[in-house]
PDB file of all heavy atoms in Angstrom:
ATOM      1  N   LYS B  66       4.331 -15.298 -42.650  1.00  0.00           N
ATOM      2  CA  LYS B  66       3.576 -16.387 -42.036  1.00  0.00           C
ATOM      3  C   LYS B  66       3.682 -17.692 -42.833  1.00  0.00           C
ATOM      4  O   LYS B  66       3.960 -18.757 -42.274  1.00  0.00           O
ATOM      5  CB  LYS B  66       2.109 -15.951 -41.927  1.00  0.00           C
ATOM      6  CG  LYS B  66       1.281 -16.837 -41.026  1.00  0.00           C
ATOM      7  CD  LYS B  66      -0.134 -16.268 -40.879  1.00  0.00           C
ATOM      8  CE  LYS B  66      -1.105 -17.416 -40.658  1.00  0.00           C
ATOM      9  NZ  LYS B  66      -2.427 -17.126 -41.191  1.00  0.00           N
ATOM     10  N   GLU B  67       3.473 -17.596 -44.124  1.00  0.00           N
ATOM     11  CA  GLU B  67       3.478 -18.828 -44.931  1.00  0.00           C
ATOM     12  C   GLU B  67       4.860 -19.468 -44.944  1.00  0.00           C
ATOM     13  O   GLU B  67       5.001 -20.668 -44.742  1.00  0.00           O
ATOM     14  CB  GLU B  67       3.018 -18.536 -46.350  1.00  0.00           C
ATOM     15  CG  GLU B  67       1.531 -18.238 -46.386  1.00  0.00           C
ATOM     16  CD  GLU B  67       0.988 -18.192 -47.800  1.00  0.00           C
ATOM     17  OE1 GLU B  67       1.812 -18.261 -48.747  1.00  0.00           O
ATOM     18  OE2 GLU B  67      -0.228 -18.077 -47.941  1.00  0.00           O
ATOM     19  N   ALA B  68       5.859 -18.626 -45.181  1.00  0.00           N
ATOM     20  CA  ALA B  68       7.211 -19.166 -45.257  1.00  0.00           C
ATOM     21  C   ALA B  68       7.626 -19.822 -43.946  1.00  0.00           C
ATOM     22  O   ALA B  68       8.301 -20.844 -43.922  1.00  0.00           O
ATOM     23  CB  ALA B  68       8.179 -18.050 -45.617  1.00  0.00           C
ATOM     24  N   LEU B  69       7.221 -19.240 -42.843  1.00  0.00           N
ATOM     25  CA  LEU B  69       7.652 -19.760 -41.542  1.00  0.00           C
ATOM     26  C   LEU B  69       6.851 -20.979 -41.092  1.00  0.00           C
ATOM     27  O   LEU B  69       7.409 -21.918 -40.548  1.00  0.00           O
ATOM     28  CB  LEU B  69       7.531 -18.661 -40.475  1.00  0.00           C
ATOM     29  CG  LEU B  69       8.551 -17.528 -40.551  1.00  0.00           C
ATOM     30  CD1 LEU B  69       8.192 -16.456 -39.515  1.00  0.00           C
ATOM     31  CD2 LEU B  69       9.957 -18.040 -40.298  1.00  0.00           C
ATOM     32  N   PHE B  70       5.554 -20.938 -41.315  1.00  0.00           N
ATOM     33  CA  PHE B  70       4.715 -21.933 -40.646  1.00  0.00           C
ATOM     34  C   PHE B  70       4.067 -22.962 -41.560  1.00  0.00           C
ATOM     35  O   PHE B  70       3.705 -24.039 -41.122  1.00  0.00           O
ATOM     36  CB  PHE B  70       3.634 -21.226 -39.815  1.00  0.00           C
ATOM     37  CG  PHE B  70       4.217 -20.191 -38.886  1.00  0.00           C
ATOM     38  CD1 PHE B  70       3.886 -18.848 -38.998  1.00  0.00           C
ATOM     39  CD2 PHE B  70       5.143 -20.569 -37.926  1.00  0.00           C
ATOM     40  CE1 PHE B  70       4.444 -17.903 -38.165  1.00  0.00           C
ATOM     41  CE2 PHE B  70       5.711 -19.623 -37.080  1.00  0.00           C
ATOM     42  CZ  PHE B  70       5.361 -18.287 -37.195  1.00  0.00           C
ATOM     43  N   GLU B  71       3.900 -22.620 -42.804  1.00  0.00           N
ATOM     44  CA  GLU B  71       3.212 -23.537 -43.705  1.00  0.00           C
ATOM     45  C   GLU B  71       3.925 -24.901 -43.815  1.00  0.00           C
ATOM     46  O   GLU B  71       3.286 -25.944 -43.734  1.00  0.00           O
ATOM     47  CB  GLU B  71       3.075 -22.878 -45.088  1.00  0.00           C
ATOM     48  CG  GLU B  71       2.173 -23.593 -46.074  1.00  0.00           C
ATOM     49  CD  GLU B  71       0.723 -23.685 -45.605  1.00  0.00           C
ATOM     50  OE1 GLU B  71       0.294 -22.787 -44.850  1.00  0.00           O
ATOM     51  OE2 GLU B  71       0.050 -24.657 -45.969  1.00  0.00           O
ATOM     52  N   PRO B  72       5.266 -24.922 -43.953  1.00  0.00           N
ATOM     53  CA  PRO B  72       5.958 -26.207 -44.114  1.00  0.00           C
ATOM     54  C   PRO B  72       5.659 -27.186 -42.980  1.00  0.00           C
ATOM     55  O   PRO B  72       5.570 -28.389 -43.204  1.00  0.00           O
ATOM     56  CB  PRO B  72       7.432 -25.810 -44.106  1.00  0.00           C
ATOM     57  CG  PRO B  72       7.440 -24.420 -44.604  1.00  0.00           C
ATOM     58  CD  PRO B  72       6.201 -23.791 -44.051  1.00  0.00           C
ATOM     59  N   ALA B  73       5.482 -26.674 -41.779  1.00  0.00           N
ATOM     60  CA  ALA B  73       5.220 -27.564 -40.652  1.00  0.00           C
ATOM     61  C   ALA B  73       3.835 -28.193 -40.771  1.00  0.00           C
ATOM     62  O   ALA B  73       3.617 -29.338 -40.380  1.00  0.00           O
ATOM     63  CB  ALA B  73       5.326 -26.783 -39.345  1.00  0.00           C
ATOM     64  N   ASN B  74       2.909 -27.418 -41.309  1.00  0.00           N
ATOM     65  CA  ASN B  74       1.525 -27.906 -41.373  1.00  0.00           C
ATOM     66  C   ASN B  74       1.325 -29.020 -42.386  1.00  0.00           C
ATOM     67  O   ASN B  74       0.478 -29.883 -42.200  1.00  0.00           O
ATOM     68  CB  ASN B  74       0.582 -26.748 -41.717  1.00  0.00           C
ATOM     69  CG  ASN B  74       0.274 -25.941 -40.480  1.00  0.00           C
ATOM     70  OD1 ASN B  74       0.368 -26.482 -39.381  1.00  0.00           O
ATOM     71  ND2 ASN B  74      -0.060 -24.682 -40.653  1.00  0.00           N
ATOM     72  N   ASN B  75       2.100 -28.984 -43.487  1.00  0.00           N
ATOM     73  CA  ASN B  75       1.834 -30.009 -44.477  1.00  0.00           C
ATOM     74  C   ASN B  75       2.785 -31.201 -44.402  1.00  0.00           C
ATOM     75  O   ASN B  75       2.927 -31.949 -45.344  1.00  0.00           O
ATOM     76  CB  ASN B  75       1.766 -29.406 -45.891  1.00  0.00           C
ATOM     77  CG  ASN B  75       3.054 -28.659 -46.212  1.00  0.00           C
ATOM     78  OD1 ASN B  75       4.109 -29.027 -45.689  1.00  0.00           O
ATOM     79  ND2 ASN B  75       2.958 -27.635 -47.049  1.00  0.00           N
ATOM     80  N   LYS B  76       3.456 -31.349 -43.275  1.00  0.00           N
ATOM     81  CA  LYS B  76       4.227 -32.587 -43.064  1.00  0.00           C
ATOM     82  C   LYS B  76       3.675 -33.270 -41.831  1.00  0.00           C
ATOM     83  O   LYS B  76       4.202 -33.117 -40.724  1.00  0.00           O
ATOM     84  CB  LYS B  76       5.712 -32.258 -42.877  1.00  0.00           C
ATOM     85  CG  LYS B  76       6.363 -31.706 -44.140  1.00  0.00           C
ATOM     86  CD  LYS B  76       7.840 -31.488 -43.902  1.00  0.00           C
ATOM     87  CE  LYS B  76       8.486 -30.827 -45.092  1.00  0.00           C
ATOM     88  NZ  LYS B  76       7.996 -29.428 -45.246  1.00  0.00           N
ATOM     89  N   ILE B  77       2.592 -34.021 -42.051  1.00  0.00           N
ATOM     90  CA  ILE B  77       1.892 -34.553 -40.880  1.00  0.00           C
ATOM     91  C   ILE B  77       2.748 -35.525 -40.082  1.00  0.00           C
ATOM     92  O   ILE B  77       2.520 -35.735 -38.906  1.00  0.00           O
ATOM     93  CB  ILE B  77       0.564 -35.247 -41.278  1.00  0.00           C
ATOM     94  CG1 ILE B  77       0.851 -36.286 -42.357  1.00  0.00           C
ATOM     95  CG2 ILE B  77      -0.465 -34.250 -41.731  1.00  0.00           C
ATOM     96  CD1 ILE B  77      -0.328 -37.187 -42.604  1.00  0.00           C
ATOM     97  N   TYR B  78       3.765 -36.099 -40.739  1.00  0.00           N
ATOM     98  CA  TYR B  78       4.601 -37.042 -40.006  1.00  0.00           C
ATOM     99  C   TYR B  78       5.441 -36.359 -38.924  1.00  0.00           C
ATOM    100  O   TYR B  78       6.086 -37.012 -38.117  1.00  0.00           O
ATOM    101  CB  TYR B  78       5.505 -37.830 -40.965  1.00  0.00           C
ATOM    102  CG  TYR B  78       6.237 -36.956 -41.966  1.00  0.00           C
ATOM    103  CD1 TYR B  78       7.431 -36.335 -41.642  1.00  0.00           C
ATOM    104  CD2 TYR B  78       5.691 -36.763 -43.237  1.00  0.00           C
ATOM    105  CE1 TYR B  78       8.075 -35.532 -42.541  1.00  0.00           C
ATOM    106  CE2 TYR B  78       6.347 -35.955 -44.159  1.00  0.00           C
ATOM    107  CZ  TYR B  78       7.543 -35.336 -43.811  1.00  0.00           C
ATOM    108  OH  TYR B  78       8.171 -34.536 -44.702  1.00  0.00           O
TER     109      TYR B  78
END
Side-chain angles (χ1 to χ4, degrees):
Chain B
K66 194 175 150 210
E67 289 190 353
L69 288 174
F70 308 118
E71 190 62 29
N74 279 335
N75 56 29
K76 293 184 185 68
I77 53 169
Y78 48 84

